[in-house]
């Protein structure tokens, strides 16, 4: 397929969680399953081909697409940061269109909030120092959140991400945070 327009679909803060948590099914990957069930028919209605961030490896470059489409920039710990929503947003799908659609141009980029963040608490808060200049130490992070001392990260969400001062109004509440952390810990 020759793609001339790509529309990204995502969520911010708690809006999606309210709808999803009511529909949540007892299946191995409930959010991925629900996302596909909800968005695939919408893509068909619009004549689009839907792709999803969890399809892979190889993975579709959602963060690269988001950086081109939206007012987001890389945070020092990996997730993209938005000046209003902080790191409390994620991508759910992209609709690919063969036609060039007449959609508004991307909004102008704000200065990346991390450039002027004085203490960069995201880099110093992780209890096991999983965010290093050499990258994200996933085994250290997983071992910690799976241990008794990692209870706060597991039930309340990643401490480094929670230390970020941007987008505090959109921070995930404990049930949503715990859902993501459990699935991250026990993902195959
Ligand atoms: C593999 C993966 C992981 C692996 C990470 C492996 C690793 N060593 O980093 C694991 C399973 C550990 C993981 C964990 C999490 N992930 Co993840 N993950 C992905 C996934 C599926 C693929 C990433 C990839 O390989 N892309 C392939 C390349 C080709 O794509 P790309 O966009 O061009 O890649 C760019 C980015 O990856 C970026 N990048 C990657 N690492 C880093 C690190 C730094 C420092 C910087 C600046 C940039 C950067 O640079 C690349 C080049 O442009 C994406 C979904 C997706 N399809 O993108 C989600 C994704 C990146 N994850 C996401 C999230 C939210 C998380 C979690 C925070 C989830 C949670 N528990 O709440 C955790 C914890 C991470 C943390 N504490 O920071 C979100 C990020 C949303 C955002 N705001 O940007 C994504 C986009 C999924 C989504 N549905 O939105 N993840």
């Amino acid at each position: 397929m020759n793609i001339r327009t790509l529309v990204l679909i995502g969520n911010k803060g708690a809006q999606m969680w309210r709808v999803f948590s009511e529909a949540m099914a007892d299946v191995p990957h409930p959010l991925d399953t629900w996302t596909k069930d909800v968005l695939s028919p919408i893509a068909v209605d619009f004549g689009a081909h839907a792709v999803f961030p969890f399809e892979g490896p190889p993975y579709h470059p959602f963060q690269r697409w988001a950086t081109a489409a939206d007012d987001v920039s890389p945070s020092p710990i990996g997730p993209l940061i938005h000046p209003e929503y902080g790191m409390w947003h994620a991508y759910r799908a992209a609709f690919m269109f063969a036609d060039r659609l007449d959609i508004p141009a991307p909004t102008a980029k704000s200065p990346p909030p991390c450039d002027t963040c004085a203490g960069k608490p995201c880099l110093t808060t992780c209890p096991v120092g999983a965010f290093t200049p050499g990258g994200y130490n996933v085994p250290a992070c997983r071992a910690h959140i799976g241990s008794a001392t990692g209870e706060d990260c597991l039930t309340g969400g990643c401490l480094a991400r929670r230390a970020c001062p941007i987008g505090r109004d959109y921070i995930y509440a404990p049930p949503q945070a715990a859902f993501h952390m459990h699935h991250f810990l026990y993902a195959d």
Side-chain angles (χ1 to χ4, degrees):
M1 179 182 183
N2 232 345
I3 300 145
R4 294 200 180 77
T5 307
L6 185 92
V7 175
L8 278 177
I9 292 131
N11 64 281
K12 59 177 165 62
Q15 276 173 328
M16 180 203 70
W17 177 256
R18 284 194 281 272
V19 182
F20 163 66
S21 58
E22 282 176 20
M24 188 164 25
D26 189 15
V27 293
H29 298 284
L31 183 55
D32 298 349
T33 305
W34 177 79
T35 300
K36 262 194 159 169
D37 287 353
V38 171
L39 293 177
S40 299
I42 298 175
V44 171
D45 282 353
F46 281 101
H49 173 68
V51 296
F52 299 92
F54 45 82
E55 289 172 335
Y59 295 107
H60 295 289
F62 269 81
Q63 290 185 302
R64 191 147 37 90
W65 289 338
T67 307
D70 201 1
D71 191 7
V72 293
S73 53
S75 73
I77 61 169
L80 298 174
I81 188 163
H82 182 277
E84 183 181 354
Y85 314 131
M87 287 187 261
W88 306 104
H89 68 279
Y91 308 100
R92 295 293 148 217
F95 287 181
M96 295 174 163
F97 293 87
D99 293 332
R100 190 170 183 89
L101 303 187
D102 187 18
I103 53 176
T107 47
K109 288 268 191 192
S110 312
C114 305
D115 286 1
T116 47
C117 178
K120 294 200 179 16
C122 64
L123 287 177
T124 51
T125 304
C126 175
V128 291
F131 301 102
T132 72
Y136 172 31
N137 186 340
V138 179
C141 171
R142 275 215 168 100
H144 176 68
I145 62 174
S147 72
T149 50
E151 185 68 19
D152 193 8
C153 303
L154 183 62
T155 56
C158 170
L159 280 171
R161 211 171 163 203
R162 276 153 68 194
C164 176
I166 309 292
R168 308 291 307 178
D169 290 347
Y170 297 88
I171 202 161
Y172 296 165
Q176 183 174 2
F179 170 87
H180 287 296
M181 295 309 281
H182 272 89
H183 281 270
F184 160 54
L185 180 58
Y186 299 112
D188 34 58

